[in-house]
């Protein structure tokens, strides 16, 4: 154990690592309820049980790769925001099949493996504007919040305005239960209770029973064998279209910064960076999410990425891959608890979505709004995502605005080749959508 994970070198013990792994799992296990619920809403063969199995296995595989290869206390799972883009933008908004969306995820993962092997990912990250990276995260946070509010029935377009809060009377039982869940989440998080989001989901599910929001099927059993995943359900027709390229590029772009940002934050917290702030075993860490994404696509779930909730395990003492090993094993054990997670209503998972929006919004303070060539593109990115109900449109308009603002501000030299390429692709997509 010592030789494999270097516990003494990093000033930790087996007990601290195990506690750290359990804490991380408790903090991020909500994904086992939220992700299958979100992707399962697509229907047409993509059901809760299959996505649950895919989510648990992909999370376990990626986290175990992180444990044994990168030796970092970082856990991975299908990312929030990425699953929203998969469901609400690609499938519902753009009318694509979930099979085509999985194909985009697969190709993205394969590209990431190549980029990670040759160290290109680390170079790409330095080429994209820092403010835009933060803006994408903030915009996705607001987008996820809006989805959570809508899923809970808290906001509606039937209030006489474009959108508004519903009246919290007894006809809005789902909204009432969700608000109770959000209050619980806030209280537990402020009190720094480990696994606050998961605990709130469980408590809200129980509270929903007398309200009739949580329905317990007749003959229900809490444990069962895992459902079969959606193995290699890909659709290759249309993969050369501009629409597909934009979808794949958006997955690629979003995942790139989700992973890098999380790795930087967690490793800095754990003091696992060198004097220049470089992440230890960065290439291996980036390979973990690449492999997890490919495995997830083959099993039937959206892009796998590093989870910021890993910071809770680091706060509990986790410093090595043993923390990740513990979390990965717990994901595998969760495979046999599908009925428990299937029982959780949208009123219980919606507060988690709303609260994740808060966590992602915190990065807004790092955006330089005093510089209009930085602030305006960031604002457009953040504004467009929730108001257009599209992550891809937010990224597209934001990148285009960045190029325009920098050119107008006589700072064209700040625009990297990668940014120019992205902007051109997004302009082409807008033109294509307008004329088709």
């Amino acid at each position: 154990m010592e030789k494999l994970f270097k516990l003494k070198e990093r000033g930790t013990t087996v007990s601290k690592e195990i506690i750290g792994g359990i804490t991380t799992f408790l903090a991020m296990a909500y994904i086992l309820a939220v992700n299958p619920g979100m992707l399962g809403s697509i229907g047409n063969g993509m059901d809760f049980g299959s996505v649950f199995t895919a989510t648990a296995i992909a999370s376990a595989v990626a986290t175990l790769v992180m444990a044994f290869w990168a030796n970092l206390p970082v856990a991975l799972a299908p990312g929030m925001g990425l699953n929203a883009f998969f469901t609400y933008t690609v499938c519902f908004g753009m009318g694509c099949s979930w099979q085509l969306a999985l194909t985009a995820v697969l190709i993205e993962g394969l590209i990431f493996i190549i980029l990670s092997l040759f160290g290109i990912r680390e170079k790409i990250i330095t080429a994209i504007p820092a403010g835009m990276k933060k803006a994408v995260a903030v915009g996705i946070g607001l987008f996820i919040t809006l989805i959570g509010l809508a899923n809970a029935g808290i906001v509606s377009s039937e209030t006489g305005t474009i959108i508004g809060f519903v009246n919290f009377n007894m006809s809005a039982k789902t909204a009432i239960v969700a608000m109770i869940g959000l209050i619980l989440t806030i209280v537990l998080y402020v009190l720094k209770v480990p696994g606050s989001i998961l605990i709130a989901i469980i408590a809200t599910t129980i509270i929903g029973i007398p309200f009739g929001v949580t329905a317990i099927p007749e003959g229900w059993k809490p444990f069962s064998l895992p459902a079969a995943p959606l193995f290699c359900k890909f659709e290759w027709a249309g993969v050369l279209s501009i629409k597909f390229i934009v979808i794949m590029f958006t997955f690629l772009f979003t995942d790139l910064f989700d992973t890098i940002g999380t790795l930087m934050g967690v490793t800095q917290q754990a003091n696992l960076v060198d004097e220049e702030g470089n992440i230890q075993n960065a290439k291996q860490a980036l390979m973990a999410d690449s492999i997890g994404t490919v495995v997830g696509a083959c099993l039937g779930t959206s892009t796998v990425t590093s989870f910021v909730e890993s910071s809770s395990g680091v706060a509990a003492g986790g410093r090595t891959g043993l923390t990740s090993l513990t979390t990965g094993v717990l994901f595998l054990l969760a495979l046999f608890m599908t009925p428990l997670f299937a029982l959780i209503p949208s009123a219980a998972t919606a507060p988690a979505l709303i609260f994740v929006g808060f966590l992602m919004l915190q990065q807004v303070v790092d955006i330089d709004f005093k510089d209009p060539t930085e602030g305006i593109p960031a604002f457009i990115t953040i504004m467009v995502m929730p108001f257009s109900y599209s992550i891809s449109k937010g990224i597209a308009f934001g990148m285009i605005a960045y190029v325009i603002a920098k050119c107008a501000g006589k700072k064209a030299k700040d625009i990297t080749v990668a940014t120019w390429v992205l902007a051109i692709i997004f302009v082409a997509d807008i033109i294509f959508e307008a004329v088709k």
Side-chain angles (χ1 to χ4, degrees):
M1 193 74 72
E2 170 61 34
K3 184 178 180 180
L4 183 62
F5 295 113
K6 302 177 182 179
L7 302 179
K8 291 182 180 179
E9 180 182 317
R10 297 189 182 178
T12 186
T13 63
V14 172
S15 61
K16 285 183 179 180
E17 294 297 298
I18 292 175
I19 291 173
I22 294 172
T23 302
T24 295
F25 178 78
L26 289 174
M28 62 183 291
Y30 66 86
I31 197 66
L32 292 171
V34 175
N35 196 57
M38 189 178 294
L39 269 64
S41 67
I42 298 171
N44 298 320
M46 179 167 270
D47 61 89
F48 184 97
S50 297
V51 179
F52 182 95
T53 300
T55 301
I57 294 177
S59 302
V61 169
T63 304
L64 292 174
V65 171
M66 182 71 77
F68 290 113
W69 198 3
N71 192 24
L72 292 175
V74 179
L76 303 94
M80 295 297 299
L82 289 159
N83 54 8
F85 175 71
F86 185 106
T87 304
Y88 298 104
T89 299
V90 178
C91 293
F92 290 157
M94 303 174 74
C96 297
S97 67
W98 56 263
Q99 292 92 335
L100 185 66
L102 286 176
T103 307
V105 173
L106 174 69
I107 294 176
E108 173 223 343
L110 292 173
I111 292 174
F112 267 166
I113 288 177
I114 296 171
L115 296 179
S116 300
L117 280 173
F118 290 95
I120 299 173
R121 261 176 107 179
E122 296 96 316
K123 295 178 181 178
I124 291 177
I125 199 68
T126 61
I128 305 298
M132 289 300 297
K133 300 169 194 172
K134 303 295 183 182
V136 168
V138 174
I140 291 174
L142 291 178
F143 180 68
I144 290 174
T145 298
L146 180 59
I147 291 171
L149 291 169
N151 287 352
I154 294 175
V155 299
S156 172
S157 60
E158 300 176 359
T159 57
T161 57
I162 296 174
I163 190 170
F165 268 40
V166 300
N167 293 320
F168 291 95
N169 51 42
M170 288 312 295
S171 64
K173 293 180 180 179
T174 300
I176 293 172
V177 171
M179 285 298 291
I180 294 172
L182 182 58
I183 293 169
L184 283 172
T185 304
I186 293 169
V187 171
L188 293 172
Y189 185 84
V190 171
L191 293 176
K192 298 181 179 180
V193 176
S196 55
I197 295 177
L198 180 63
I199 293 171
I201 288 176
I202 295 170
T204 307
T205 300
I206 296 172
I207 292 169
I209 295 175
F211 281 87
V213 173
T214 303
I216 303 177
E218 191 173 338
W220 177 81
K221 296 179 180 179
F223 304 101
S224 70
L225 293 174
L230 302 165
F231 188 68
C232 292
K233 299 292 185 180
F234 301 120
E235 181 180 311
W236 299 103
V239 296
L240 298 179
S241 66
I242 292 179
K243 177 186 284 189
F244 180 86
I245 292 172
V246 170
I247 291 170
M248 187 274 296
F249 216 133
T250 303
F251 276 127
L252 194 78
F253 179 81
T254 307
D255 185 23
L256 179 65
F257 303 122
D258 273 1
T259 299
I260 291 291
T262 298
L263 284 175
M264 289 181 64
V266 175
T267 53
Q268 285 173 1
Q269 179 187 358
N271 196 27
L272 298 175
V273 295
D274 61 22
E275 294 179 356
E276 297 178 356
N278 297 317
I279 302 168
Q280 292 185 21
N281 302 326
K283 181 180 291 187
Q284 295 89 329
L286 291 169
M287 281 295 292
D289 87 299
S290 304
I291 293 170
T293 294
V294 171
V295 171
C298 291
L299 296 177
T301 189
S302 52
T303 304
V304 172
T305 188
S306 301
F307 261 57
V308 71
E309 285 81 2
S310 302
S311 60
S312 63
V314 170
R319 292 294 182 274
T320 75
L322 182 55
T323 293
S324 301
L325 172 60
T326 304
T327 304
V329 169
L330 289 173
F331 270 118
L332 290 176
L333 293 176
L335 278 169
F336 301 95
M337 296 184 285
T338 305
L340 277 173
F341 287 91
L343 197 67
I344 300 172
S346 60
T349 56
L353 294 173
I354 297 168
F355 199 74
V356 167
F358 155 72
L359 296 175
M360 298 181 75
L361 193 69
Q362 295 177 44
Q363 298 189 53
V364 75
V365 298
D366 296 324
I367 300 173
D368 185 10
F369 285 105
K370 293 181 179 179
D371 180 355
T373 67
E374 293 285 339
I376 292 173
F379 163 71
I380 290 175
T381 302
I382 294 167
M383 175 266 295
V384 171
M385 284 188 188
F387 293 155
S388 70
Y389 212 70
S390 172
I391 295 170
S392 61
K393 279 187 172 60
I395 295 173
F397 282 95
M399 293 302 290
I400 294 168
Y402 182 86
V403 171
I404 293 172
K406 286 295 181 182
C407 289
K410 298 180 181 180
K411 296 182 178 181
K413 65 179 186 299
D414 293 347
I415 307 173
T416 64
V417 173
T419 304
W420 276 111
V421 171
L422 282 172
I424 291 169
I425 290 174
F426 289 136
V427 169
D429 178 61
I430 292 171
I431 295 173
F432 174 79
E433 287 292 328
V435 301
K436 72 175 183 178

